[in-house]
Amino acid sequence: MARGKELAKQLRNHLVSSSWSRKTREFLVEKILSCYQKSLAMLNCHAFVAEHGAAFSIGTSGSPRNEGDAYKKRVNSDTGLEGQPEDGYSWRKYGQKDILGASFPRGYYRCTHCNVQGCLSTKQVQRSDQDPSVVEVTYHGRHTCIQARSSAISPAPVVKEEPPKETTNRQETLLSSKRGLGDDVFSLLSFSTPTVDSENGEGDYFVDALMDDRFMDTFSSPAASGSNYFSLPLDHMANSCAPNSVQMPEAILTEIVSAPTSVTKSPMGDAAFSAFSLGKVDFNLDFPFDNPDFFHD
DNA sequence: GTTATTTGACCATC
DNA sequence: GATGGTCAAATAAC
């Protein structure tokens, strides 16, 4: 955003001097818009992560029962094993409870590695009243265990598509479809950026920003300091943000929202990401660039 | 024998 | 007191 501001100031000077060609001015305007679009994309990217329990989970140390860490999806169990959808992780059932108003009991599962590796990830599985072939899976906490990659890349379950809905505990319903997970991820990101006008092609900016080398360099650079903590999720996100791109196994999608590793090991630290702790950002392309006060020193 | 599941009891919260 | 979540002993499966 500072870059955008600097470019805007240059443009203002050029407008005053009138020594630059129209093409140069238009170029500057495009650069300014590009800067702000990328900035907003970064903000929205974090908002998405924060809302889904999230790969980064910056600043959410403490109880895994944090409500903000919950993530919910509906899975068609027809293709699952014994009615239990496979999500790439191994779970151990530790309880079952009849839930008021629900026709089917809710199953409680925790990560098999909870004892050995101290993984605190849990999930709740409940069969839908409306459609018994559908189970609602709610994930809590994040996997801190290391599970065999081969098991994580299991065939993706068929996930039923349904519109996003407001739920308690800040749970979100993952939009998905049978067309492929590339679409799934994009859909998920789309409702996090509701004001994008995709018909005008402006919706592509989010993808562009994430695929931008400078963007990736900026946020993947901690890998150079000896940790790949951020580089892995961002690789996923780069793919995630690209519609119709390489299809992602469900397990990877799961990994995105219930991510591994300790927050405190982040080389960027809480402070670095605290600037992003703004919640969902509804950006508006009608941003008042023509307001001279905005660019005022 | 080991591991996973079942299920009633217990606890915390509202 | 009702409800949801977890514990732990009993049981089943391998």
Side-chain angles (χ1 to χ4, degrees):
Chain A
M1 294 188 76
R3 171 68 174 160
K5 182 179 180 180
E6 182 62 32
L7 288 168
K9 288 167 69 176
Q10 288 182 32
L11 178 61
R12 182 183 60 188
N13 293 335
H14 296 156
L15 288 172
V16 171
S17 67
S18 297
S19 60
W20 284 45
S21 69
R22 175 179 174 174
K23 196 168 184 177
T24 303
R25 293 171 186 171
E26 288 177 347
F27 175 75
L28 270 175
V29 169
E30 289 302 317
K31 291 292 290 182
I32 292 168
L33 288 174
S34 175
C35 283
Y36 283 108
Q37 284 173 351
K38 288 171 183 174
S39 299
L40 290 165
M42 289 155 63
L43 291 172
N44 276 300
C45 211
H46 179 71
F48 150 68
V49 163
E51 286 193 17
H52 292 81
F56 303 142
S57 300
I58 300 304
T60 58
S61 59
S63 171
R65 297 255 78 93
N66 186 329
E67 291 179 351
D69 286 346
Y71 147 68
K72 191 174 184 177
K73 69 177 179 180
R74 290 164 67 87
V75 180
N76 187 325
S77 62
D78 291 346
T79 59
L81 298 175
E82 302 296 328
Q84 175 63 37
E86 180 57 62
D87 56 17
Y89 289 97
S90 55
W91 303 92
R92 179 173 180 173
K93 191 173 186 177
Y94 66 89
Q96 179 169 303
K97 190 80 174 180
D98 288 326
I99 301 301
L100 188 69
S103 304
F104 303 95
R106 176 180 297 169
Y108 298 89
Y109 298 80
R110 62 164 56 97
C111 179
T112 303
H113 304 82
C114 63
N115 293 326
V116 179
Q117 299 184 36
C119 182
L120 297 175
S121 183
T122 64
K123 74 173 181 179
Q124 300 174 2
V125 178
Q126 180 152 27
R127 196 165 292 278
S128 172
D129 289 343
Q130 288 75 29
D131 187 353
S133 67
V134 173
V135 293
E136 295 184 355
V137 185
T138 304
Y139 294 89
H140 292 274
R142 57 194 70 82
H143 284 278
T144 57
C145 61
I146 300 173
Q147 303 202 14
R149 201 64 193 160
S150 57
S151 66
I153 308 178
S154 58
V158 175
V159 182
K160 280 213 166 181
E161 186 170 12
E162 67 175 1
K165 62 181 179 184
E166 288 296 328
T167 58
T168 58
N169 296 341
R170 293 195 60 205
Q171 294 171 346
E172 294 283 353
T173 297
L174 173 65
L175 280 178
S176 191
S177 77
K178 298 181 180 181
R179 291 191 303 271
L181 285 164
D183 293 338
D184 301 339
V185 178
F186 184 65
S187 296
L188 187 152
L189 291 168
S190 291
F191 74 78
S192 292
T193 58
T195 60
V196 173
D197 183 358
S198 59
E199 288 185 2
N200 294 335
E202 293 169 343
D204 291 340
Y205 81 92
F206 189 44
V207 175
D208 292 342
L210 286 168
M211 299 304 286
D212 184 301
D213 288 341
R214 284 167 296 180
F215 177 89
M216 295 303 294
D217 287 344
T218 300
F219 284 84
S220 299
S221 58
S225 65
S227 169
N228 61 357
Y229 177 70
F230 277 96
S231 61
L232 176 61
L234 278 167
D235 285 346
H236 290 334
M237 293 180 73
N239 289 331
S240 305
C241 295
N244 305 319
S245 63
V246 178
Q247 293 191 358
M248 296 170 58
E250 173 71 2
I252 295 178
L253 182 59
T254 302
E255 185 178 2
I256 289 176
V257 298
S258 56
T261 77
S262 163
V263 170
T264 58
K265 290 181 179 178
S266 163
M268 297 184 71
D270 289 2
F273 261 74
S274 61
F276 290 95
S277 299
L278 305 174
K280 183 185 293 183
V281 178
D282 289 333
F283 53 84
N284 186 348
L285 293 177
D286 294 329
F287 186 84
F289 287 106
D290 55 348
N291 183 352
D293 292 339
F294 176 78
F295 301 108
H296 202 274
D297 286 329

